[in-house]
Amino acid sequence: MTPLGFASGVWKRVMGFLFPPETDAWLAVFRVGLGLQVVVYALFLRSDWHYLFAATGKGLVSRELGEAITSFDSPLIPKLGWLVFLGRHIGLAEETVLSVAWACLLCMGCCLLLGLFCRPAAIIAWFLHLCAAESGGLLAYGADNFMTTALFYLMLSPLPDRYCVDRRLVKTKLMDPRLLGFWRRVLQIHLCFVYFFGGLAKFLGSGWWNGSNLWRSLIRPPFNLISPDILIRFKYALPVLGISICLIEIGYPVFIWIKKTRFFWLVCILAMHAAIGLIMGMYLFALVMIVLNLAAFGVGIRVPWHPAGGARHSAQFLPKQQLSP
């Protein structure tokens, strides 16, 4: 084979990997799952919204303090203070602006669930959640980071999908299956990086080998839902669980791509996040990670014991109208 032919073959394989033909089923799962995430997030914070994001002297932690810390990274990062500032210029009190922001976030989540005004809903939901996460930076954690990232991907994805209400109201052409495949591939690669480096960081410390990190996590308020007596009784299982978590995460970028191990690895990662949500009360974190994994690798996965061998994702199984660019 000539060097030119070899380079051409490599290029075709790279393009085939980055732009695999896909249906929009994964995008529908992604949209509905994130819509549910936004609704649950807004409802969880309903009673504490003003308490968390009020100005100095009115809230748990001053919003100005969180926004000042955020401004060290970049003054261009959106914050709730921007909305409060605009509200003052049109005669709206801070409490009113915060209430409107919360109501809009909840409304955008409902729109995503229904598939109504998908693109504007995704953009507004991303912006409002980013404002809330950055204004409450001292209280934000991993769920906020992954939720912001997921909404960012959603607003750039080729919406609307075929299950949206938007498709019923306005007849539009189905998206190019290769474009759908590209955005799913971006999401898949992002998750592989997240789990690999997360697992590698755990491996480098001794706390996950001897179970001490798990012990500290499970006894620290407000995550101490399990009695310490029960943890002491099963203390010998903590090192095994810690090492298992490391192996699941660091092996994710390898075994999630292999067809024979993909289902098993996906079940392990989903079970891990479900356990985190139930045992530590981190429901929002568990939900967003489950949604990301289901959209990235769960839709159309080959189920080993399924009589038909599971769903397949080659171009020959796509609807004919989706095969045309």
Side-chain angles (χ1 to χ4, degrees), residues 209-274:
W209 292 87
N210 56 27
S212 59
N213 280 1
L214 276 177
W215 169 263
R216 285 195 292 267
S217 299
L218 294 173
I219 65 171
R220 181 182 302 171
F223 309 119
N224 55 336
L225 301 184
I226 298 180
S227 170
D229 296 335
I230 297 177
L231 294 177
I232 293 174
R233 190 178 306 170
F234 295 97
K235 61 182 179 180
Y236 297 108
L238 295 180
V240 177
L241 290 175
I243 295 173
S244 299
I245 290 172
C246 293
L247 291 175
I248 290 171
E249 290 191 355
I250 205 169
Y252 187 94
V254 176
F255 296 104
I256 201 69
W257 295 102
I258 302 173
K259 292 181 179 180
K260 293 183 178 180
T261 58
R262 182 177 299 165
F263 180 80
F264 173 76
W265 227 258
L266 181 64
V267 169
C268 287
I269 209 75
L270 294 180
M272 182 185 76
H273 288 301

Side-chain angles (χ1 to χ4, degrees), residues 192-216:
C192 288
F193 275 106
V194 167
Y195 284 116
F196 176 76
F197 286 107
L200 184 61
K202 292 180 176 67
F203 257 126
L204 296 178
S206 61
W208 290 92
W209 292 87
N210 56 27
S212 59
N213 280 1
L214 276 177
W215 169 263
R216 285 195 292 267

Side-chain angles (χ1 to χ4, degrees), residues 266-296:
L266 181 64
V267 169
C268 287
I269 209 75
L270 294 180
M272 182 185 76
H273 288 301
I276 290 173
L278 295 174
I279 295 175
M280 301 179 66
M282 299 172 67
Y283 307 114
L284 289 173
F285 176 74
L287 179 57
V288 71
M289 297 309 297
I290 289 173
V291 169
L292 285 169
N293 277 281
L294 287 178

Side-chain angles (χ1 to χ4, degrees), residues 69-324:
I69 295 174
T70 299
S71 296
F72 282 117
D73 295 328
S74 172
L76 301 178
I77 298 176
K79 297 173 280 287
L80 287 175
W82 292 8
L83 303 181
V84 173
F85 177 79
L86 292 175
R88 287 174 184 163
H89 280 69
I90 59 176
L92 295 178
E94 179 188 65
E95 290 189 358
T96 303
V97 174
L98 292 177
S99 297
V100 170
W102 177 87
C104 287
L105 187 62
L106 179 64
C107 182
M108 295 306 103
C110 293
C111 287
L112 289 176
L113 275 173
L114 296 173
L116 186 63
F117 308 118
C118 295
R119 183 82 64 190
I123 295 172
I124 295 173
W126 169 80
F127 179 79
L128 291 176
H129 179 266
L130 180 60
C131 288
E134 296 301 332
S135 295
L138 294 175
L139 302 174
Y141 70 114
D144 295 293
N145 297 329
F146 283 109
M147 189 172 167
T148 301
T149 302
L151 287 170
F152 179 77
Y153 281 142
L154 181 65
M155 75 177 189
L156 296 179
S157 297
L159 293 166
D161 56 83
R162 70 175 64 195
Y163 305 101
C164 289
V165 174
D166 289 345
R167 275 282 171 83
R168 306 293 188 272
L169 299 177
V170 180
K171 298 297 182 181
T172 57
K173 292 183 179 180
L174 294 175
M175 291 295 177
D176 185 345
R178 292 174 181 81
L179 183 62
L180 289 163
F182 171 75
W183 282 108
R184 191 182 192 189
R185 192 67 87 209
V186 170
L187 183 61
Q188 291 171 338
I189 294 173
H190 189 140
L191 284 178
C192 288
F193 275 106
V194 167
Y195 284 116
F196 176 76
F197 286 107
L200 184 61
K202 292 180 176 67
F203 257 126
L204 296 178
S206 61
W208 290 92
W209 292 87
N210 56 27
S212 59
N213 280 1
L214 276 177
W215 169 263
R216 285 195 292 267
S217 299
L218 294 173
I219 65 171
R220 181 182 302 171
F223 309 119
N224 55 336
L225 301 184
I226 298 180
S227 170
D229 296 335
I230 297 177
L231 294 177
I232 293 174
R233 190 178 306 170
F234 295 97
K235 61 182 179 180
Y236 297 108
L238 295 180
V240 177
L241 290 175
I243 295 173
S244 299
I245 290 172
C246 293
L247 291 175
I248 290 171
E249 290 191 355
I250 205 169
Y252 187 94
V254 176
F255 296 104
I256 201 69
W257 295 102
I258 302 173
K259 292 181 179 180
K260 293 183 178 180
T261 58
R262 182 177 299 165
F263 180 80
F264 173 76
W265 227 258
L266 181 64
V267 169
C268 287
I269 209 75
L270 294 180
M272 182 185 76
H273 288 301
I276 290 173
L278 295 174
I279 295 175
M280 301 179 66
M282 299 172 67
Y283 307 114
L284 289 173
F285 176 74
L287 179 57
V288 71
M289 297 309 297
I290 289 173
V291 169
L292 285 169
N293 277 281
L294 287 178
F297 291 103
V299 175
I301 194 170
R302 186 185 298 273
V303 181
W305 57 80
H306 193 279
R312 299 177 182 177
H313 275 285
S314 59
Q316 60 181 321
F317 291 98
L318 292 171
K320 290 183 179 179
Q321 63 268 29
Q322 278 205 304
L323 288 175
S324 58

